Amino acid sequence: VFEDWHNAPEILQWLRYPATTSIIALNCSVWYYIFRNSLDYADVGSSYDMVVKEGQWWRAITASFSHISLIHLGFNMITTWQLKTA
């Protein structure tokens, strides 16, 4: 879209890094789902007992995308965006 991405508006940078943008969108979507359904970390988090002993393998995956507070989500997504070229 742009010949010179360095001068493109920041919002258009999202087009340049589709993998990072997808990860951020997924995390925000999961946070929204958790928030709308009034879930807490015990509902979506991971622990050895729940994952291994109780066979709730999905917790190992969802815990990676779970952010309970908005500030936690915000800081992690800012860091994710800053690591886009790493």
Side-chain angles (χ1 to χ4, degrees), residues 62-79:
T62 58
S64 302
F65 298 100
S66 301
H67 299 83
I68 299 302
S69 72
L70 187 57
I71 195 144
H72 179 205
L73 174 72
F75 279 119
N76 280 319
M77 295 309 97
I78 289 169
T79 303

Side-chain angles (χ1 to χ4, degrees), residues 39-83:
L39 302 174
D40 63 3
Y41 195 72
D43 297 320
V44 295
S46 179
S47 74
Y48 177 81
D49 287 337
M50 292 181 157
V51 173
V52 177
K53 291 182 179 177
E54 296 182 27
Q56 298 177 3
W57 57 269
W58 55 270
R59 287 181 179 273
I61 297 167
T62 58
S64 302
F65 298 100
S66 301
H67 299 83
I68 299 302
S69 72
L70 187 57
I71 195 144
H72 179 205
L73 174 72
F75 279 119
N76 280 319
M77 295 309 97
I78 289 169
T79 303
T80 301
W81 183 250
Q82 290 174 341
L83 294 173

Side-chain angles (χ1 to χ4, degrees), residues 1 4 10 17 23 34 37-39 43-44 48 59 62 64:
V1 175
D4 183 17
E10 186 68 28
Y17 303 101
I23 290 169
I34 290 168
N37 292 297
S38 300
L39 302 174
D43 297 320
V44 295
Y48 177 81
R59 287 181 179 273
T62 58
S64 302

Side-chain angles (χ1 to χ4, degrees), residues 7-29:
N7 293 327
E10 186 68 28
I11 192 73
L12 292 180
Q13 293 290 329
W14 291 71
L15 299 173
R16 186 172 181 198
Y17 303 101
T20 304
T21 302
S22 298
I23 290 169
I24 291 171
L26 177 62
N27 277 291
C28 291
S29 298

